[in-house]
Amino acid sequence: DTAVSQTPKYLVTQMGNDKSIKCEQNLGHDTMYWYKQDSKKFLKIMFSYNNKELIINETVPNRFSPKSPDKAHLNLHINSLELGDSAVYFCASKGRGQGIGNEQFFGPGTRLTVL
Amino acid sequence: AQKVTQAQTEISVVEKEDVTLDCVYETRDTTYYLFWYKQPPSGELVFLIRRNSFDEQNEISGRYSWNFQKSTSSFNFTITASQVVDSAVYFCALSELITGGGNKLTFGTGTQLKVEL
């Protein structure tokens, strides 16, 4: 039983294309996130949704648009892909219980390669 | 602003050696949480431990132990009798409360641990 799943696992595309990455969690969590891990392994938060409402929007180009159709899903759409968008994108979710103390559960990651 | 520093970029040890991964953090919050995550070569992020700012008790879990010292803003991680399977990138992270009910994790840059035979 996968707690946080992402599709696709690998995505190779040309510059200028539009692509989406899907994320689903079956943990009943309220909050979901998108992180970007660059080639140097640096992990940085991009977005967070709580109960389908956007609560964190870091300095991310507006070519990136998250969409949360329901609490269990948080998708990431990227327009006009650029070479610098190549990275591993992680989805994560967190339960409400201990507030900021709850750990985030991460998906397996989507490796995006822009050619 | 929150900041997490993992000064050790890469550490190489021989199996069975003990190794300590350093983590130093900065925050203005009085209530915060610290985390360690492991990222093995397969790429997933695995939660290891959580510690809140009011609990300075050290924790031991098998070969893993954590030393939280508020006075030095450090949350170090020690692996005793390291094994090849411990080879991974280890991330320290700091949690801050965000308006709206979520939290935001600020990650350190990670320490690549290589355990060789």
Side-chain angles (χ1 to χ4, degrees):
Chain A
D1 287 347
T2 305
V4 183
S5 59
Q6 294 178 228
T7 52
K9 191 166 172 61
Y10 300 96
L11 186 52
V12 181
T13 188
Q14 300 286 333
M15 258 195 329
N17 284 351
D18 303 339
K19 289 293 177 187
S20 292
I21 306 172
K22 295 186 177 181
C23 177
E24 177 181 0
Q25 54 96 359
N26 63 6
L27 298 166
H29 288 167
D30 298 317
T31 310
M32 296 183 72
Y33 306 80
W34 278 109
Y35 288 85
K36 179 180 179 180
Q37 185 174 42
D38 64 22
S39 58
K40 294 184 180 178
K41 297 280 190 180
F42 185 57
L43 268 162
K44 189 168 173 21
I45 190 166
M46 300 173 69
F47 301 103
S48 177
Y49 271 73
N50 187 40
N51 282 322
K52 301 194 297 176
E53 186 179 334
L54 181 67
I55 57 171
I56 295 175
N57 185 351
E58 292 290 292
T59 309
V60 177
N62 57 16
R63 298 181 295 103
F64 289 79
S65 53
K67 283 191 172 53
S68 182
D70 55 56
K71 272 185 6 174
H73 296 85
L74 180 61
N75 303 324
L76 183 65
H77 188 76
I78 315 170
N79 288 328
S80 304
L81 279 155
E82 300 177 357
L83 293 176
D85 298 332
S86 295
V88 180
Y89 292 85
F90 285 97
C91 177
S93 74
K94 182 187 81 70
R96 179 178 250 180
Q98 294 184 43
I100 65 170
N102 270 5
E103 69 269 25
Q104 294 181 15
F105 290 83
F106 286 81
T110 295
R111 182 175 293 279
L112 171 64
T113 303
V114 183
L115 303 174
Chain B
Q2 313 261 100
K3 187 177 177 183
V4 177
T5 301
Q6 293 180 255
Q8 304 150 309
T9 307
E10 188 172 317
I11 301 175
S12 288
V13 298
V14 177
E15 211 178 29
K16 295 184 185 173
E17 282 185 13
D18 298 347
V19 57
T20 295
L21 310 181
D22 298 332
C23 173
V24 174
Y25 63 92
E26 295 175 30
T27 180
R28 291 181 183 170
D29 294 345
T30 53
T31 301
Y32 53 88
Y33 280 78
L34 293 157
F35 299 81
W36 276 95
Y37 281 85
K38 173 182 180 180
Q39 187 174 39
S42 50
E44 72 272 24
L45 282 158
V46 179
F47 165 75
L48 294 178
I49 192 170
R50 160 188 52 236
R51 172 66 68 227
N52 77 50
S53 52
F54 298 107
D55 181 3
E56 288 196 67
Q57 198 169 16
N58 290 336
E59 176 138 352
I60 298 174
S61 175
R63 296 184 297 106
Y64 294 172
S65 62
W66 290 269
N67 182 3
F68 175 36
Q69 293 200 345
K70 229 168 157 178
S71 60
T72 55
S73 297
S74 65
F75 186 40
N76 297 336
F77 172 29
T78 297
I79 302 175
T80 303
S82 60
Q83 299 176 1
V84 173
V85 293
D86 295 328
S87 297
V89 180
Y90 291 85
F91 291 96
C92 181
L94 174 63
S95 176
E96 66 176 305
L97 183 64
I98 297 296
T99 305
N103 71 332
K104 173 182 168 180
L105 280 180
T106 299
F107 283 88
T109 49
T111 297
Q112 169 81 61
L113 173 65
K114 294 184 179 178
V115 182
E116 297 164 335
L117 291 170

